[in-house]
Amino acid sequence: MTRRVLVTGGGSGIGRAVARAFAAAGDRVTITGRRLAALEETAEGFDMACRAADVTDEAQVQALFDAPYHVVIANAGGGVAGKLRGVSLADWNATLAVNMTGTFLLFREALRGMGTGGRLIAMASTASLKGGATVPAYAAAKHGVLGLVRSVALDVAGKGITCNAVCPGFVDTDLAEAAISAVQKRFDLTRAAALAEVVSDNPMGRLIAPDEVVAAVTFLASPGASMVNGHALSVSGGEI
Ligand code: NAD
């Protein structure tokens, strides 16, 4: 069966790698994000639909569901780093909006048309499973995403649908690059030293490749994962 797959934040990083993997496997993929040009770059050479939408906007998320999807991946996310005393209300609200509200809106709409065999997958983080002194808003939002996933999983368990979270450590994307630059500036380090600091929580001592996250997502979307529900799959080299 050709599945319809929706990936948010498909214009870069993990979302781009995930979308291309599903498309290469023959699924009908729709990618969404705020910048159409970035989406079109992801789709280059692949048979993919591109739809501009901000995941924090209820009407724009609703408009994505003109037909039901079999696999819905809430990947859009991010947040600013900094200790709690320096977090503005605007940054706090924006971090909760893209990670938590975005996942809520997407999964709520997805469930309205999703049938047996459906898969809801959230791109959470190791920050869903532990705190971080310099990422209080992000960790709070990603803990919230996991709470939503675990609750939805119980709701859909009787309908042949699963809802799971993938929890990566630092993955080699723009988001990790921003974290490395911030550490480099803050502590006046070389890039190599800042990278070593960023990956120091990962026992494997390196950034995770986007394809290593893709493998977890494709597993959770596979028929073989039909009994995996409400799970937080850590892709972190043993950090968790
Ligand atoms: P990224 O910055 O390349 O990807 C985030 C994507 O989300 C971007 O394409 C961005 O445009 C999109 N986005 C942001 N706000 C949006 C909004 N309001 N509406 C629609 N799209 C929006 O970084 P990434 O590393 O690929 O991150 C993907 C996901 O993985 C995020 O949820 C992130 O929190 C999570 N994650 C990343 C890492 C890492 O180290 N890179 C680790 C753990 C979890």
Side-chain angles (χ1 to χ4, degrees), residues 81-85 87 130-137 139 186:
K83 290 197 175 184
L84 187 64
R85 60 182 170 272
V87 176
K130 66 179 209 182
T134 57
V135 285
R186 185 154 174 236

Side-chain angles (χ1 to χ4, degrees), residues 4 26 82 85 132 143 160 201 210 218 227-228:
R4 295 189 77 236
R85 60 182 170 272
H143 271 69
D201 277 345
T218 51
M227 192 45 85
V228 181

